[in-house]
């Protein structure tokens, strides 16, 4: 399975996917890593591994993912022969035409137990809401914000002395465990379907 990764940040989830591939627990290859931020560490990690990288030109928009940029992204991923797209800390909302080009083949990892706390800084939202438990979700991407069907979730307790940083760090440990596992599940379901 050929994976394409979109990320805007540190890329620790991509690293977890690479580690699973190295450990032989995930039969896949990351063939292209794209980012909307030239200084994102995810690009550095990819280059160190010799993985092809590219920049998404969002035409100067700070948060929007303009249609032209989505079409260019779809084309680059198709040309690289990508089977499945994994969003890994990608901070823009994916819509048509990227969704149309990869129907049911885009996954995202979100740092909360969806449908609770969609959107940004979900661990801060969980702390502010005073819940005793949060977690993370790998889900299919649809046109909504963090609304697609869930594939796997992991729970994380909120501890009395948690700070946003400590809680996010514990959620990320679980993200790194379930993202490769969810990709494996999707791979299985695709091979059964074909
Ligand atoms: C993760 O917490 C993920 O849930 C969210 O963005 C963060 C990305 O972290 N969507 P990283 O770039 O994979 O380290």
């Amino acid at each position: 399975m050929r994976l394409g990764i979109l990320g805007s940040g540190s890329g620790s989830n991509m690293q977890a996917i690479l580690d699973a591939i190295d450990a032989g627990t995930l039969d896949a290859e990351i063939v292209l890593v794209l980012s909307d931020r030239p200084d994102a560490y995810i690009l550095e990690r990819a280059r160190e591994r010799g993985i092809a990288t590219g920049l998404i030109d969002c035409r100067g928009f700070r948060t929007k993912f303009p249609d032209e940029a989505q079409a260019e992204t779809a084309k680059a991923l198709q040309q690289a022969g990508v089977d499945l797209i994994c969003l890994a800390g990608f901070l823009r909302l994916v819509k048509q035409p990227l969704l149309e080009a990869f129907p049911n083949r885009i996954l995202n990892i979100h740092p909360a137990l969806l449908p609770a706390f969609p959107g940004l800084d979900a661990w801060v939202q969980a702390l502010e809401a005073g819940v005793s438990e949060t977690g993370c979700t790998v889900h299919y991407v649809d046109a909504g914000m963090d609304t697609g069907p869930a594939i796997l979730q992991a729970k994380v307790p909120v501890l009395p002395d948690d700070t946003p940083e400590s809680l996010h760090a514990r959620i990320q440990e679980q993200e790194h465990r379930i993202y490769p596992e969810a990709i494996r599940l999707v791979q299985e379901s695709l091979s059964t379907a074909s």
Side-chain angles (χ1 to χ4, degrees):
M1 167 158 274
R2 294 169 71 80
L3 304 177
I5 310 274
L6 305 192
S8 310
S10 103
S12 70
N13 278 285
M14 179 189 74
Q15 189 62 53
I17 295 167
L18 285 170
D19 292 346
I21 293 170
D22 290 347
T25 54
L26 177 63
D27 183 14
E29 187 189 352
I30 297 179
V31 295
L32 182 60
V33 177
L34 299 176
S35 180
D36 55 334
R37 298 194 178 172
D39 57 347
Y41 187 52
I42 194 168
L43 290 174
E44 186 65 36
R45 287 187 203 255
R47 281 188 218 110
E48 275 169 20
R49 288 280 297 220
I51 300 169
T53 60
L55 259 189
I56 301 171
D57 176 5
C58 288
R59 272 72 177 172
F61 288 103
R62 210 170 54 82
T63 55
K64 193 176 147 185
F65 194 178
D67 280 0
E68 312 89 289
Q70 300 219 18
E72 288 164 6
T73 301
K75 197 168 162 204
L77 292 160
Q78 280 167 334
Q79 278 173 351
V82 164
D83 301 304
L84 187 72
I85 302 173
C86 299
L87 307 184
F90 187 64
L91 293 175
R92 294 176 195 252
L93 214 52
V94 168
K95 291 214 168 117
Q96 316 296 0
L98 189 48
L99 283 172
E100 221 164 56
F102 287 87
N104 292 319
R105 284 174 182 256
I106 309 180
L107 310 187
N108 182 40
I109 178 105
H110 182 77
L113 294 173
L114 291 172
F117 310 126
L120 288 178
D121 298 339
W123 59 94
V124 177
Q125 295 185 50
L127 270 183
E128 283 172 358
V131 293
S132 59
E133 188 175 71
T134 182
C136 50
T137 306
V138 180
H139 64 97
Y140 287 101
V141 172
D142 65 11
M145 183 165 60
D146 303 322
T147 51
I151 300 161
L152 260 187
Q153 292 191 308
K155 292 177 178 170
V156 174
V158 180
L159 305 178
D161 56 353
D162 257 331
T163 61
E165 294 72 27
S166 66
L167 181 56
H168 189 210
R170 282 206 319 291
I171 292 172
Q172 283 221 298
E173 281 174 25
Q174 295 306 312
E175 292 182 359
H176 300 161
R177 188 176 63 77
I178 68 167
Y179 212 170
E181 180 62 32
I183 295 168
R184 204 158 33 234
L185 290 175
V186 169
Q187 194 171 26
E188 268 172 31
S189 76
L190 287 172
S191 64
T192 323
S194 65

